[in-house]
Amino acid sequence: MKFDIVVLTDHRYVAPKTRTPYIENVLQEDHLVLEAMEKQGLKVVRKAWDDPDFDWSTTQYALFRTTWDYFDRYTEFSEWLEKTSKRTRFINSKELIYWNIDKHYLQDLSKAGVTIPKTVFVEKGSTTTLLESIIKAKSEHGFIADTYILKPCVSGAARHTYKIAEDGVTDYESIFQELVKNEAMMLQEFQYNIVSEGEISMMVFNGEFTHAVLKIAKPGDFRVQDDFGGSVHKYNPNAEQIAFAKCVVEAAPELPLYARVDIFRDNNGSWALAELEIFEPELWFRLNPVAANVLAKGIRKTIAFD
């Protein structure tokens, strides 16, 4: 084997000619991971997942980090994922990635006792209308809020994520119909505390909490992602929040080597899961560089290298 691990990124971030603050963050995050792996004596390299010239059988493992174009090229990415899984192994595992890449996984976690927002899934090709879906959400799933969030089941960076008020449903009907023809969608109650209090992201490696950040939407917006002007701050969670995050990762089909658990206080005042990211989560190593070493040590200790 030529490499122990290939750290996977998006082709736009391999050798960018333009260095925006966002791209600088990507490069810094990936550099910290590479450096930490090398400290563990591992042979590592960084490649775009769609690199046409790389032989994936020359690496023992591929580690998903900043592959943030996959949801815009999902058919192509899915084909690559299946093909490459026959030539190397993935971190996290292929089984976990397939489970986590589609937000239907929230149903599994809910059944396992994890609190999630009230959610209705509208499957690809459904002939229902958005209004009918909302009526069903109220009658069968207990929706009580008068504002909703609509988003795809496979997505990232708030792609096609819409905040819809009760009196504005008809304005989004054509968008909904166009989207559901091609992909499954999810309808959720709007969570007011995410706007007023923010969303907490907690990093959990091998079942142990390492660090956390608080994401806050910019004034007038509901999206906490920094892509949309949201701000990110270091955060010290309390014991209850850490325990919740650990319970979430323990409810996954297998314990992930790395995960990000996004939580918030829901409309009932309870801690709830927004997302469990174990595929290619942003992990904010730039705010806690030591955590990259924790991840590398965990991989070195847990995974058997030839």
Side-chain angles (χ1 to χ4, degrees), residues 247-296:
C247 285
V248 171
V249 296
E250 288 168 2
E254 62 183 74
L255 187 67
L257 276 166
Y258 61 96
R260 192 187 81 218
V261 184
D262 296 338
I263 73 170
F264 64 96
R265 197 181 298 277
D266 68 13
N267 293 335
N268 296 319
S270 301
W271 289 111
L273 175 71
E275 302 256 5
L276 168 60
E277 294 279 2
I278 57 180
F279 166 37
E280 36 60 81
E282 183 169 10
L283 297 171
W284 286 286
F285 289 124
R286 62 188 179 275
L287 298 182
N288 190 338
V290 173
N293 296 323
V294 175
L295 173 62

Side-chain angles (χ1 to χ4, degrees), residues 176-188:
F176 172 77
Q177 292 300 332
E178 187 63 30
L179 289 170
V180 82
K181 281 194 301 186
N182 300 303
E183 56 187 320
M185 302 294 293
M186 54 196 297
L187 185 70
Q188 295 182 317

Side-chain angles (χ1 to χ4, degrees), residues 70 92-106 109 153-155 252-253 258-260 275-281:
Y70 82 91
N92 289 299
S93 73
K94 173 186 174 182
E95 291 73 22
L96 273 180
I97 289 170
Y98 273 85
W99 176 75
N100 187 239
I101 204 169
D102 186 313
K103 291 181 177 63
H104 280 87
Y105 74 80
L106 289 169
L109 293 179
C153 290
V154 177
S155 188
Y258 61 96
R260 192 187 81 218
E275 302 256 5
L276 168 60
E277 294 279 2
I278 57 180
F279 166 37
E280 36 60 81

Side-chain angles (χ1 to χ4, degrees), residues 69-134:
D69 59 344
Y70 82 91
F71 44 81
D72 292 321
R73 306 165 60 190
Y74 188 63
T75 298
E76 180 185 356
F77 179 79
S78 296
E79 293 172 353
W80 174 87
L81 192 67
E82 186 61 28
K83 179 181 177 181
T84 306
S85 70
K86 295 178 172 61
R87 307 182 74 184
T88 191
R89 289 164 286 184
F90 294 148
I91 307 172
N92 289 299
S93 73
K94 173 186 174 182
E95 291 73 22
L96 273 180
I97 289 170
Y98 273 85
W99 176 75
N100 187 239
I101 204 169
D102 186 313
K103 291 181 177 63
H104 280 87
Y105 74 80
L106 289 169
Q107 291 178 312
D108 297 335
L109 293 179
S110 178
K111 291 175 182 176
V114 174
T115 301
I116 67 169
K118 293 174 183 177
T119 304
V120 170
F121 290 91
V122 185
E123 302 305 332
K124 175 182 175 181
S126 173
T127 58
T128 189
T129 67
L130 179 58
L131 179 58
E132 289 169 343
S133 298
I134 289 174

